[in-house]
């Protein structure tokens, strides 16, 4: 059977390629760790992809800002229909429509048993934690494709309770694979509760998801900061306050909104390609957001960091940043007794409760992030427009199953 997929073709380029139909074995290919080649996946399923989204994390690779090899099949945000089940799968059935957590987890190791599925010990020989179609993540083939293999299916997959309802809300449900739980995780780990004041750095899809997550948790005020006016307008569309960080200090603008220059909870939804604030807004300054959050988060507060940071960035502004070393004012964090939470979101910790919020009309996340469906063949255009700052979440529809209404 044929299969088409989106692959990284060098800095600034993606292309749609013909790629092998999945088998229940991890084959050699771009980015596959040699220790994983030949790994049997009888515990997996093959999905016909219904929706697979372009993520800001993908953009880091496509910009050439990681060590990703050319030819890597992209995509870690996957929703699909089960078309084949492996020999050892017990509970997932052909025909089920499911959400795939972006982090691959075995369900057997110490970390998985403790709910830390973002740092599974058994799926990536390089380091704890894995993901589909991502550099240094073990080489599991990405899901921006017509068909994709999902390992440890009984453990990883979230089955939607009703097929027709799932297809009706598919543009919301596709956000459960990554950005909605990731944003929500940022809000949870920053300590958001009823009455909190919250600052979200970054109005991309994860930042907007964090803002909606903070609202669901009962925040009194959610303020989103960015340089992109279209993305800030998107944040205002569902009740957030906004500040343009190019227009002056974050503290001063917060004080104009809140009466004080600080918030209870800070969230970094930007990551390692951050730019400066104020007069330095056009320059890349990777530690800017983290240092700003330490300044504006109240003493005793917490900073959630769902934004991506890496240990290898060939395009970084200095030698230290190329290795993931940033000039942080850690003394500020220490003096203020701040707590920090970093790393991959453990998607399974949140995805079922967020699914229920979606199915019961409590979380219109697709509208919040301005999601729009395009065909798989249109992926290069979607990547280019997203990279240019489009205030939109691009959802790829490989089989034409999503309504364009």
């Amino acid at each position: 059977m044929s299969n088409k997929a989106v692959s990284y073709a060098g800095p600034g380029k993606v292309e749609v390629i013909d790629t092998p139909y999945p088998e229940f074995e991890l084959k050699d290919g771009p980015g596959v760790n040699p220790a994983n080649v030949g790994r049997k996946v009888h515990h997996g399923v093959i999905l016909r992809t219904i929706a697979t989204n372009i993520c800001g994390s993908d953009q880091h690779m496509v910009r050439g800002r990681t060590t990703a090899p050319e030819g890597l099949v992209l995509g870690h945000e996957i929703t699909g229909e089960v078309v084949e089940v492996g020999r050892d799968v017990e509970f997932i059935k052909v025909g089920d429509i499911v959400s795939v957590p972006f982090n691959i987890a075995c369900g057997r190791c110490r970390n998985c048993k403790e709910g830390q599925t973002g740092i599974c010990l058994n799926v990536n020989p390089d380091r704890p934690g894995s993901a589909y179609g991502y550099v240094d993540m073990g080489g599991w083939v990405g899901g921006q494709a017509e068909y994709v293999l999902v390992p440890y299916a009984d453990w990883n997959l979230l089955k939607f309770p009703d097929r027709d309802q799932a297809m009706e809300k598919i543009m919301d449900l596709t956000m459960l694979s990554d950005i909605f739980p990731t944003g929500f995780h940022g809000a949870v780990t920053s300590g958001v509760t009823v009455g909190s004041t919250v600052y979200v750095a970054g109005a991309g899809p994860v930042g907007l998801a964090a803002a909606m997550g903070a609202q669901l948790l009962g925040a009194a005020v959610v303020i989103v900061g960015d340089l992109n006016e279209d993305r800030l307008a998107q944040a205002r569309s569902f009740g957030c306050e906004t500040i343009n960080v190019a227009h002056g200090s974050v503290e001063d603008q917060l004080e104009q909104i809140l009466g004080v220059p600080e918030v209870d909870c800070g969230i970094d939804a930007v990551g390692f390609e951050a730019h400066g604030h104020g007069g330095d807004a056009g320059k890349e300054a990777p530690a800017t957001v983290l240092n700003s959050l330490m300044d504006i988060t109240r003493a005793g507060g917490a900073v959630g960091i769902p934004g991506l940071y890496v240990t290898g960035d060939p395009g970084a502004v200095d030698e230290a940043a190329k290795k993931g070393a940033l000039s942080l004012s850690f003394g500020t964090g220490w003096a203020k007794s701040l707590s920090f939470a970093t790393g991959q979101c453990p998607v399974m910790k949140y995805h079922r409760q967020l699914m229920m919020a979606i199915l019961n009309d409590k979380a219109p996340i697709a509208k919040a992030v301005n999601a729009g469906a395009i065909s798989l063949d249109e992926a290069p255009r979607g990547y280019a427009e997203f990279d240019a700052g489009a205030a939109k979440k691009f959802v790829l529809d490989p089989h034409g199953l999503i309504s364009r209404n």
Side-chain angles (χ1 to χ4, degrees):
M1 189 178 290
S2 64
N3 191 19
K4 293 200 306 184
V6 180
S7 79
Y8 171 58
K13 295 185 291 184
V14 299
E15 59 185 15
V16 180
I17 62 169
D18 293 317
T19 193
Y21 183 83
E23 300 179 36
F24 292 105
E25 180 180 319
L26 191 54
K27 306 289 189 178
D28 197 8
V32 180
N33 188 297
N36 262 352
V37 174
R39 186 168 181 164
K40 304 299 183 184
V41 192
H42 297 306
H43 43 67
V45 300
I46 295 171
L47 299 184
R48 176 174 69 152
T49 305
I50 295 173
T52 177
N53 316 327
I54 298 174
C55 180
S57 299
D58 297 321
Q59 289 286 19
H60 295 307
M61 288 188 291
V62 173
R63 292 184 189 121
R65 296 299 297 269
T66 71
T67 56
E70 293 186 18
L72 183 74
V73 173
L74 300 167
H76 56 271
E77 300 189 10
I78 309 163
T79 305
E81 178 185 12
V82 178
V83 293
E84 292 186 52
V85 298
R87 181 193 68 197
D88 298 336
V89 176
E90 291 189 74
F91 308 115
I92 296 293
K93 305 299 182 186
V94 169
D96 288 346
I97 297 180
V98 295
S99 178
V100 183
F102 79 89
N103 24 44
I104 301 165
C106 73
R108 296 148 166 81
C109 71
R110 172 183 176 176
N111 286 349
C112 283
K113 289 178 179 180
E114 293 178 356
Q116 299 184 79
T117 54
I119 43 174
C120 173
L121 301 173
N122 288 331
V123 287
N124 181 2
D126 284 329
R127 63 179 72 176
S130 188
Y132 303 87
Y134 214 85
V135 61
D136 296 332
M137 288 293 183
W140 299 92
V141 179
Q144 287 176 14
E146 293 175 314
Y147 298 92
V148 63
L149 171 68
V150 174
Y152 302 104
D154 283 326
W155 168 250
N156 281 299
L157 295 177
L158 174 68
K159 177 185 172 181
F160 299 139
D162 181 84
R163 182 187 184 90
D164 291 339
Q165 184 187 34
M167 290 307 298
E168 181 182 337
K169 292 187 175 289
I170 198 68
M171 291 294 281
D172 294 296
L173 294 172
T174 189
M175 306 305 164
L176 292 174
S177 58
D178 181 357
I179 67 162
F180 199 10
T182 293
F184 191 77
H185 180 62
V188 169
T189 55
S190 72
V192 178
T193 186
V194 175
S196 297
T197 57
V198 184
Y199 177 69
V200 181
V206 169
L208 297 174
M212 174 162 280
Q215 291 175 338
L216 284 172
L217 289 165
V221 183
V222 180
I223 303 162
V224 181
D226 204 295
L227 296 160
N228 183 317
E229 282 292 349
D230 291 339
R231 291 182 171 182
L232 291 173
Q234 191 61 35
R236 290 192 293 273
S237 75
F238 60 99
C240 299
E241 300 284 347
T242 61
I243 63 174
N244 188 320
V245 297
H247 295 169
S249 77
V250 175
E251 292 96 326
D252 289 347
Q253 295 188 71
L254 286 178
E255 188 165 21
Q256 291 173 21
I257 296 169
L258 298 173
V260 292
E262 65 179 17
V263 291
D264 298 320
C265 313
I267 303 172
D268 174 6
V270 178
F272 73 100
E273 287 191 69
H275 284 68
H277 295 168
D280 295 324
K283 303 173 184 175
E284 188 168 314
T288 296
V289 169
L290 291 170
N291 285 327
S292 172
L293 286 168
M294 285 191 277
D295 287 337
I296 66 167
T297 301
R298 69 171 182 85
V303 178
I305 309 172
L308 175 68
Y309 289 86
V310 296
T311 56
D313 175 9
V317 294
D318 56 49
E319 290 302 313
K322 288 180 180 180
K323 301 175 184 177
L326 307 179
S327 297
L328 295 177
S329 179
F330 196 73
T332 300
W334 192 94
K336 296 177 72 174
S337 295
L338 298 178
S339 300
F340 302 89
T342 65
Q344 287 188 32
C345 164
V347 170
M348 277 195 275
K349 185 174 181 178
Y350 308 108
H351 65 175
R352 187 186 181 279
Q353 66 204 74
L354 294 176
M355 175 189 74
M356 294 304 293
I358 289 169
L359 294 179
N360 291 282
D361 300 320
K362 299 296 190 292
I365 185 64
K367 184 177 180 181
V369 300
N370 192 26
I374 60 176
S375 71
L376 193 72
D377 288 334
E378 294 176 288
R381 173 179 68 82
Y383 269 94
E385 291 184 12
F386 190 36
D387 188 53
K392 187 171 184 177
K393 178 69 172 176
F394 289 93
V395 176
L396 303 180
D397 177 12
H399 294 279
L401 299 174
I402 301 174
S403 171
R404 299 293 200 274
N405 295 337

